Amino acid sequence: MGIQAMIRYSLECSHEHVFEHWFDNMADYDGKVEAKSLACPECGDTDVRKSLMAPSIGGPAATAQPAPCGAPACASGMCPSMMG
């Protein structure tokens, strides 16, 4: 039995309360909205729609700057190992 990926949507009710909910797929979301089975946890409103949500995009890992080596040049901010 494989692992099923789920979709997380940011939702907003007609009273502008924003909340998140997990769905099995897009059809799961569509069916629940159509059936009015989603309710705002703050006010109970079932007039719910998708809200804007920043995507989570994987990019290259940030590279950490090396630690200063302790040489006199490091104290002045001119450490060769930190200059790249």
Side-chain angles (χ1 to χ4, degrees):
M1 197 167 166
I3 297 174
Q4 181 177 354
M6 296 195 62
I7 299 171
R8 179 182 57 157
Y9 286 137
S10 179
L11 305 174
E12 183 176 348
C13 76
S14 64
H15 301 284
E16 299 181 359
H17 301 131
V18 178
F19 58 100
E20 293 180 350
H21 192 81
W22 288 92
F23 299 92
D24 292 334
N25 50 45
M26 290 188 303
D28 182 30
Y29 163 79
D30 292 337
K32 288 179 178 173
V33 166
E34 192 172 308
K36 299 274 187 193
S37 64
L38 290 173
C40 172
E42 193 167 332
C43 67
D45 186 11
T46 57
D47 184 9
V48 174
R49 64 189 172 279
K50 291 180 193 172
S51 178
L52 291 177
M53 186 171 182
S56 177
I57 300 173
T63 55
Q65 289 290 329
C69 67
C74 283
S76 67
M78 302 299 291
C79 178
S81 67
M82 293 184 70
M83 303 281 295

